[in-house]
Amino acid sequence: MERRTIEVIPDAERYGTPRSQFTLWFGANMQVTAIVDGALAVVFGADALWAILALLIGNVLGGIVMALHAAQGPRLGVPQMISSRAQFGVYGAVLPLSLVILMYMGFAATGSVLAGQAVSEMLHLDNSDAGILIFGALTAVIAITGYRLIHIAGRVASVVGVLGLGYLMVRVFTQYDVGAHVGNRGFEAATFLLAVGLGAGWQLTFGPYVADYSRYLPRSASTRATFWSTFAGSVVGSQLAMMLGALTAAVAGNAFLSDQVGFLGDLAGPAFAALLIYLVIAVGKLAVNCLNAYGGLMSILTTVTAFDGRSRISAAARAGYIVGFIAVSMAIALAASDDFLTNFKNFVLLLLMVFTPWSAINLVDYYLVSRERVDIPALYDPDGRYGRWSIPALTCYVVGVAVQIPFLATKMYTGAITKQLDGADISWIVGLIVTAVLYWLWARRTANPPARTVHPAEAGHGDLAAKSAT
């Protein structure tokens, strides 16, 4: 069972190669929620061929940002949101952290709806509620065990996902006249940009926890290899799943909309094949839901310890936080399983609005302002280099969120400029560019990065002690 939580991982406990990031993120993306995400582009008006291209563009653009976060893990050895204290301050980081926790909980809940349906079908249960609870218990076991088992789950999900989703793709082409259902609509900018946003949003929402799973890599691990392994695993896995979703929505229409999991089981064919597909769905969702629970733990602990100065948490407290997080997400899943597709679309696009500015600030500071130089012990010290609050980062973050409002296209609100663009949602592009430029212009004059990265002395169990520069 993993001992570490939000403290720095000592060099003696670092292991593995960047290749491990590929299977983790490939397995986490070859799953049913990514299929649904791809289907959304077609459901909301895009032709399947244009949707697949748009999703690819979105996945590539978002994947670049996501993988740049991953490359910070080996260098710093800390969870992703701990590193954001270097931009926002020890207390200031709590603002984006609060939204991160809501994100994890939302994804855990929405994913549990589909996983619960699959588990219920496998076990021939009368409704999905029992399946959701069983799935939650399995998630808790893996998340509490921790980092190593999560990576193993990713490798298993990679193999299972390739076999299962590959089989379903073959069934789509053999059971339907795919050619008759795609390529029938012309290009529409609004639906194309919506699909780009869905792909980019899918990738960008991994940003706040992606380094959690690369922080155990040796400090000497190649930054470039870490980037490309993470990028390839996430983009290839999600694009394959989303392509299946777009094609399935195009050929099946309402049959897929009314029961996504049940439809995929029927598509599999014989009862034995359907049972295996339900297992594939459950395994894929288990892999990514463990990331949500584990990332949720890191974010909660980062928030709590900002005010008491701790860098380590007991095993019992760690398990308690995970169980509590999963219990709340299960409660949400049980209460909000209706109208899944529409709710999920709006959830993803809303998250995109609040996480794009955070990614812009984190990456601009790390790569352009601080140039990969971080005072790691100061990340845990409100009186240290980064202080309690960072006015530049917090101001740029609020501006980055606000500037997107006129460009939003959601069920709850459509911005004035979006209406002039025939419903095309480009809010995330505006938020990314405006926040990055504003923060760079401000922070390059006010930031105070160390001359070189400062690491804690690794005496005992790696507690933060005297500083030593490397």
Side-chain angles (χ1 to χ4, degrees), residues 32-372:
V32 66
T33 314
I35 297 175
V36 171
D37 199 57
L40 287 173
V42 174
V43 169
F44 291 100
D47 180 83
L49 290 181
W50 286 114
I52 291 170
L53 175 60
L55 289 165
L56 177 60
I57 293 172
N59 275 312
V60 168
L61 294 177
I64 291 171
V65 175
M66 176 261 202
L68 285 171
H69 288 297
Q72 299 174 21
R75 292 291 172 268
L76 304 180
V78 299
Q80 186 73 70
M81 294 308 292
I82 285 286
S83 71
S84 71
R85 290 175 174 177
Q87 297 86 49
F88 290 87
V90 176
Y91 296 167
V94 171
L95 173 60
L97 267 169
S98 301
L99 299 173
V100 167
I101 294 168
L102 290 177
M103 177 192 76
Y104 293 140
M105 198 160 288
F107 269 112
T110 53
S112 296
V113 173
L114 298 178
Q117 294 172 8
V119 172
S120 297
E121 292 285 355
M122 288 172 55
L123 302 178
H124 303 289
L125 303 175
D126 293 335
N127 59 64
S128 62
D129 289 358
I132 288 173
L133 295 174
I134 293 171
F135 178 75
L138 292 172
T139 301
V141 169
I142 296 178
I144 289 172
T145 304
Y147 186 88
R148 289 179 184 269
L149 188 54
I150 289 173
H151 270 276
I152 292 172
R155 290 193 288 272
V156 172
S158 294
V159 175
V160 170
V162 167
L163 296 176
L165 272 60
Y167 173 73
L168 288 175
M169 185 72 78
V170 171
R171 292 287 293 180
V172 167
F173 279 90
T174 56
Q175 298 301 306
Y176 294 91
D177 183 1
V178 175
H181 293 85
V182 301
N184 298 325
R185 307 177 195 172
F187 174 83
E188 295 181 3
T191 55
F192 188 85
L193 289 173
L194 170 64
V196 172
L198 288 170
W202 181 267
Q203 298 294 337
L204 289 172
T205 50
F206 287 130
Y209 65 19
V210 62
D212 295 1
Y213 308 99
S214 60
R215 75 191 199 282
Y216 275 91
L217 292 176
R219 196 186 304 175
S220 60
S222 166
T223 299
R224 180 174 298 180
T226 302
F227 171 89
W228 284 112
S229 295
T230 305
F231 174 86
S234 191
V235 171
V236 174
S238 59
Q239 182 62 24
L240 290 175
M242 290 180 187
M243 181 168 64
L244 173 60
L247 293 175
T248 301
V251 301
N254 291 333
F256 178 71
L257 301 184
S258 59
D259 182 8
Q260 301 92 49
V261 171
F263 177 84
L264 294 177
D266 293 339
L267 178 63
F272 178 71
L275 178 65
L276 292 179
I277 290 301
Y278 294 137
L279 179 62
V280 168
I281 292 172
V283 169
K285 285 310 307 173
L286 188 60
V288 74
N289 222 47
C290 290
L291 302 187
N292 292 324
Y294 187 86
L297 165 73
M298 296 298 171
S299 296
I300 292 170
L301 294 182
T302 301
T303 301
V304 171
T305 60
F307 301 98
D308 62 20
R310 286 180 296 165
S311 63
R312 300 191 68 184
I313 303 295
S314 70
R318 179 180 179 276
Y321 277 115
I322 290 176
V323 171
F325 175 90
I326 293 174
V328 174
S329 68
M330 293 299 99
I332 296 172
L334 293 170
S337 59
D338 294 335
D339 199 16
F340 178 82
L341 283 170
T342 300
N343 290 335
F344 184 71
K345 173 222 173 186
N346 288 295
F347 177 66
V348 170
L349 293 178
L350 183 62
L351 288 175
L352 190 58
M353 179 182 74
V354 299
F355 288 118
T356 297
W358 173 84
S359 279
I361 291 169
N362 180 267
L363 295 179
V364 167
D365 184 83
Y366 183 77
Y367 289 106
L368 299 182
V369 177
S370 297
R371 298 186 182 276
E372 304 182 41

